[in-house]
């Protein structure tokens, strides 16, 4: 290989992602000779913090891992812990957990679409510039995001790091009057969620076709959110318990976040993976609108993730309306359990993809060991593969164009680097 | 006229200065038409926090000002952009600019920066800052 001619490019930290990192890119003879996505946020040790804690403390602790998807952490945790404790919460709890999760999808997807992603497709540096071009879209996005937060608040007491969820159910059942008020707000916002999907489907998303494995949860009926079997478009079909036999995390020198691979290969989790595997479970009209917009499923264009998010916002809002339509409070919003030793597993669909938890409890109900595999760790190797494919043809591109495209690719995955261990300083070498 | 005082901060060291001053204001006894809210790194939630208020006084700690000093911000242009490390790159400046673009700034907004160091100022300094702010509020300066 020719000696690399260093072309130092000093670019700021990546804006508009949750976290910090950097990208190192080297071209030799016009081809990519090296590409490394650096995550340099320090490890957060949550799994160690959980050791020795009573199982009842786990939902409140794991909610602190992420300000954007705390409910996901709580739901994967309670699923795993209830598996150990032999708890089977009834239909009220199951329905409210799905509602809780719908709120988080709406909140997180709307934050991503409007604050982070959309500026890339409108030639804007940030949402403030976007608001100057399309104030109505930004107002709508913030309103929908706020409604997602209202759902989280309804069951969680507050939207950031909610405290309403517990092992066995929820601490309290909201009143019928609270539910009626929320239902009215959600009904009023339905046309706006429909308009959001139309808006995103008109974005000038880049065309590309990449080969990757999509991995998501799937259930017998309905669009999988708060549980299901882990399936892929390459034949995988396992219970959460079998995750460690098929997926392995490993450390790479350039990142403080683990890379998780499926049988040694990168794979995709998140909204597009869900859509690729569960499109048949979406309402026909949503599928039809995606189709009319030229999105054929399964899709190999990672940028279709934006459309998937908008489709999921609409779906989640309709689902929330369905779940609240016949709401009645209950005197038993949770079931109690006796401590029991054992090992349990949980997998739910966080906004960014599968969130897998494993807990080992002792006979007093204290956590002996915990393991958490967040979606961003699972997508990291796929992001690098996408960057390699996308940037391969850009060896002569100007610094600004390279950075813009690299950041757009990374943001498209909505990486929560804080969860995975924060992002983009770009260093380019050309020879 | 009613006034909503929004104190922005976090539980960490000097970043909690606006919270501490807000608590001092309550102790000093504010006019009944004033309410104090302590906000933990609100980002875009600042828009919600301002919603429905005709007059807002916003307090935030700043390391660009000498600790213990109060500075009235005369223009949004004075506000520093968020650190790239902040959540989604959205800080007070971005949230206020977005509110301005969306026509969602309160009819009356005043912004005060409080000089803060790595740790909370001593109680005497907090009391003096609160007293100074109370004077501003009584003069109506906190509502313009």
């Amino acid at each position: 290989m020719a000696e690399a001619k260093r072309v130092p490019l000093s670019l700021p930290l990546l804006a508009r992602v949750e976290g910090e990192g950097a990208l190192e890119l080297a071209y030799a003879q016009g081809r990519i000779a090296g590409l490394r996505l650096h995550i340099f946020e320090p490890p957060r040790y949550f799994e160690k913090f959980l050791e020795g804690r009573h199982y009842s403390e786990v939902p409140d602790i794991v909610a602190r891992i992420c300000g954007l998807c705390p409910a996901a952490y709580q739901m994967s945790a309670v699923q795993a812990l209830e598996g150990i404790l032999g708890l089977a919460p009834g239909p009220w709890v199951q329905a409210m957990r799905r509602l809780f999760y719908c709120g988080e999808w709406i909140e997180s997807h709307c934050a991503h679409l409007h604050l982070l992603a959309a500026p890339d497709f409108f030639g804007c540096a940030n949402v403030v510039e976007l608001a100057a071009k399309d104030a109505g879209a930004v107002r709508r996005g913030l309103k929908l995001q706020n409604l997602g937060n209202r759902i989280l608040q309804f069951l969680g007491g507050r939207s950031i790091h909610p405290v309403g969820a517990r092992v066995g159910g929820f601490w309290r059942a909201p009143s019928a009057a609270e539910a009626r008020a929320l239902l009215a707000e959600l009904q009023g916002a339905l046309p706006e969620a429909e308009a959001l999907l139309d808006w995103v489907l008109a974005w000038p998303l880049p065309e590309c076709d990449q080969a990757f494995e999509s991995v998501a949860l799937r259930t017998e009926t309905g669009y999988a959110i708060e549980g299901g079997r882990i399936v892929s478009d390459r034949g995988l079909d396992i219970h959460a318990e079998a995750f460690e036999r098929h997926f392995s995390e490993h450390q790479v020198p350039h990142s403080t976040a683990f890379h998780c691979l499926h049988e040694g290969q990168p794979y995709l989790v998140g909204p597009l993976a869900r859509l690729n595997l569960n499109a048949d479970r979406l309402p026909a009209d949503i599928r039809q609108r995606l189709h009319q917009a030229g999105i054929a499923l399964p899709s190999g264009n990672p940028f279709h993730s934006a459309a998937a998010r908008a489709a999921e916002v609409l779906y989640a809002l309709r689902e929330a309306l369905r779940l609240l339509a016949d709401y009645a409070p209950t005197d038993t919003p949770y079931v109690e359990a006796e401590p029991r030793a054992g090992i349990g597993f949980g997998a739910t669909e966080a906004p960014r993809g599968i969130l897998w938890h494993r807990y080992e409890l002792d006979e007093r109900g204290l956590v002996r060991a915990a393991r958490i595999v967040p979606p961003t760790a699972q997508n990291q190797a796929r992001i690098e593969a996408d960057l390699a494919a996308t940037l391969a043809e850009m060896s002569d591109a100007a610094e600004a164009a390279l950075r813009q495209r690299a950041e757009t690719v990374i943001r498209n995955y909505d990486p929560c680097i804080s969860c995975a261990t924060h992002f983009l300083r770009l260093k380019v070498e050309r020879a | 006229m009613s006034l909503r005082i929004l104190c922005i901060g976090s539980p960490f060291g000097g970043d909690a200065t606006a919270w501490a001053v807000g608590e001092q204001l309550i102790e000093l006894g504010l006019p009944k038409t004033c309410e104090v809210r302590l906000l933990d790194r609100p980002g875009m939630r600042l828009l919600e926090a301002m919603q429905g208020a005709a007059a807002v006084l916003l307090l935030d700690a700043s390391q660009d000002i000498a600790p213990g000093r109060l500075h009235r911000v005369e223009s949004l242009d004075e506000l520093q952009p968020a650190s790239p490390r902040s959540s989604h790159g959205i800080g007070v400046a971005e949230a206020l600019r977005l509110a301005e673009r969306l026509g969602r700034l309160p009819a009356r907004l005043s912004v005060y920066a409080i000089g803060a160091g790595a740790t909370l100022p001593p109680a005497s300094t907090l009391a003096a800052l609160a007293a100074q702010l109370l004077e501003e509020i009584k003069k109506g300066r906190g509502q313009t």
Side-chain angles (χ1 to χ4, degrees):
Chain A
M1 184 189 295
E3 189 179 330
K5 177 187 169 193
R6 284 177 176 272
V7 184
L9 295 180
S10 176
L11 299 174
L13 288 167
L14 178 69
R16 298 178 4 235
V17 297
E18 184 57 42
E20 298 162 31
L23 178 65
E24 202 172 289
L25 181 63
Y27 288 104
Q29 281 85 46
R31 301 176 65 172
I32 291 178
L35 189 152
R36 292 192 295 187
L37 187 58
H38 294 262
I39 305 293
F40 41 76
E41 176 145 325
R44 299 173 71 203
Y45 304 116
F46 267 94
E47 287 141 318
K48 294 303 284 183
F49 294 157
L50 287 163
E51 288 179 13
R53 296 286 187 170
H54 192 260
Y55 72 80
S56 60
E57 296 178 277
V58 172
D60 288 339
I61 294 174
V62 297
R64 293 281 172 166
I65 293 174
C66 184
L68 284 167
C69 54
Y73 279 90
Q74 294 184 313
M75 295 300 96
S76 285
V78 296
Q79 187 188 109
L81 293 166
E82 288 169 3
I84 300 171
L85 301 167
L87 286 181
W92 187 92
V93 170
Q94 297 297 345
M96 290 304 106
R97 284 181 173 168
R98 189 168 175 86
L99 173 65
F100 196 40
Y101 229 124
C102 285
E104 186 153 282
W105 276 20
I106 296 168
E107 164 266 319
S108 179
H109 283 351
C110 286
H112 174 80
L113 287 168
H114 299 85
L115 304 182
L116 309 184
D120 284 330
F121 304 104
F122 290 85
C124 301
N126 52 48
V127 68
V128 181
E129 287 186 21
L130 180 65
K133 284 190 174 180
D134 195 343
V138 176
R139 276 195 201 99
R140 180 181 62 216
L142 291 176
K143 179 179 174 181
L144 288 167
Q145 184 186 349
N146 190 36
L147 276 176
N149 283 328
R150 283 274 293 115
I151 297 173
L152 286 163
Q153 205 176 1
F154 174 74
L155 288 158
R158 60 190 189 195
S159 58
I160 295 188
H161 311 314
V163 292
R166 54 164 285 165
V167 174
F170 290 90
W171 286 104
R172 70 178 274 272
S175 68
E178 288 172 84
R180 279 195 301 274
L182 179 60
L183 186 64
E185 282 187 67
L186 297 180
Q187 276 165 338
L190 198 50
E192 292 178 285
E194 303 271 359
L196 169 66
L197 178 56
D198 290 338
W199 183 60
V200 174
L201 289 177
W203 286 7
L205 298 174
E207 290 293 333
C208 70
D209 190 23
Q210 297 176 15
F212 53 81
E213 182 180 22
S214 294
V215 179
L217 297 181
R218 186 167 170 88
T219 45
E220 292 291 324
T221 56
Y223 197 79
I225 303 178
E226 73 283 14
R229 290 180 67 80
I230 301 170
V231 304
S232 90
D233 50 10
R234 294 186 184 169
L236 180 77
D237 186 354
I238 58 169
H239 184 270
E241 186 179 333
F243 180 88
E244 288 171 300
R245 294 199 288 276
H246 298 264
F247 295 84
S248 58
E249 283 185 305
H250 66 281
Q251 211 156 18
V252 292
H254 56 275
S255 176
T256 53
F258 285 130
H259 278 207
C260 188
L261 300 173
H262 175 219
E263 311 292 1
Q265 295 299 315
Y267 61 100
L268 178 75
V269 296
L272 182 60
R274 290 193 286 260
L275 213 59
N276 279 343
L277 287 156
N278 292 309
D280 59 319
R281 301 293 167 75
L282 276 180
D285 68 301
I286 296 180
R287 281 204 313 272
Q288 180 69 11
R289 285 159 74 175
L290 291 167
H291 178 73
Q292 284 170 346
I295 297 175
L297 296 170
S299 166
N301 182 351
F303 286 108
H304 287 161
S305 296
R309 285 187 188 95
E312 286 189 343
V313 169
L314 178 55
Y315 174 78
L317 186 55
R318 290 183 186 175
E319 190 70 353
L321 286 166
R322 180 185 72 79
L323 291 162
L324 272 172
D326 300 317
Y327 177 84
T330 174
D331 293 333
T332 53
Y334 59 86
V335 285
E336 290 282 10
E338 290 298 319
R340 188 194 283 185
I343 297 174
F345 306 86
T348 64
E349 285 284 357
R352 290 156 191 79
I354 294 173
L355 173 58
W356 183 85
H357 287 215
R358 174 193 184 274
Y359 295 94
E360 185 178 348
L361 297 183
D362 69 15
E363 64 284 351
R364 295 168 297 167
L366 303 182
V367 175
R368 271 194 190 131
R371 191 174 165 218
I372 295 171
V373 181
T376 296
Q378 300 179 69
N379 272 342
Q380 266 200 98
R382 171 86 272 277
I383 298 173
E384 286 191 351
D386 189 343
L387 284 166
T390 305
L391 301 179
E393 309 300 321
M394 296 182 69
S395 63
D396 296 324
E399 174 188 324
L402 262 178
R403 179 179 63 178
Q404 174 64 30
R405 180 48 71 93
E407 288 192 344
T408 303
V409 166
I410 295 163
R411 276 196 282 270
N412 179 55
Y413 289 83
D414 192 12
C416 189
I417 298 169
S418 307
C419 282
T421 74
H422 279 211
F423 197 55
L424 177 65
R425 199 155 47 207
L426 175 62
K427 182 180 168 191
V428 180
E429 291 179 12
R430 301 182 216 241
Chain B
M1 169 169 202
S2 65
L3 175 68
R4 187 177 296 167
I5 302 169
L6 302 177
C7 305
I8 296 175
S10 73
F12 309 111
D15 200 30
T17 303
W19 290 2
V21 171
E23 285 162 354
Q24 287 277 325
L25 277 170
I26 296 168
E27 281 185 27
L28 282 175
L30 283 163
K32 282 184 180 172
T33 52
C34 293
E35 61 163 331
V36 176
R37 294 187 187 179
L38 310 185
L39 306 179
D40 188 347
R41 294 155 290 182
M44 282 305 171
R45 286 164 188 264
L46 185 56
L47 275 70
E48 286 170 49
M50 293 189 298
Q51 203 169 336
V56 167
L57 188 153
L58 198 151
L59 291 176
D60 196 7
S62 170
Q63 291 192 319
D64 296 327
I65 298 164
R69 305 259 331 228
L70 189 66
H71 171 73
R72 184 183 159 93
V73 175
E74 300 294 345
S75 158
L76 293 187
D77 293 337
E78 279 186 51
L79 297 172
Q80 295 289 320
S83 156
R85 287 178 174 81
S86 72
S87 180
H88 295 155
I90 307 283
V92 170
E94 290 76 12
L96 290 178
R97 287 206 174 285
L98 184 61
E100 186 180 35
R101 287 269 162 88
L102 298 177
R104 288 174 59 178
L105 279 181
R108 294 181 174 198
L109 171 70
S110 53
V111 180
Y112 286 85
I114 307 170
T119 56
L120 268 185
S124 57
T125 306
L126 292 171
L129 282 163
Q132 197 181 340
L133 264 169
L134 190 56
E135 282 304 306
E136 295 275 307
I137 292 166
K138 285 180 177 170
K139 285 183 206 159
R141 293 240 314 150
Q143 299 177 42
T144 55

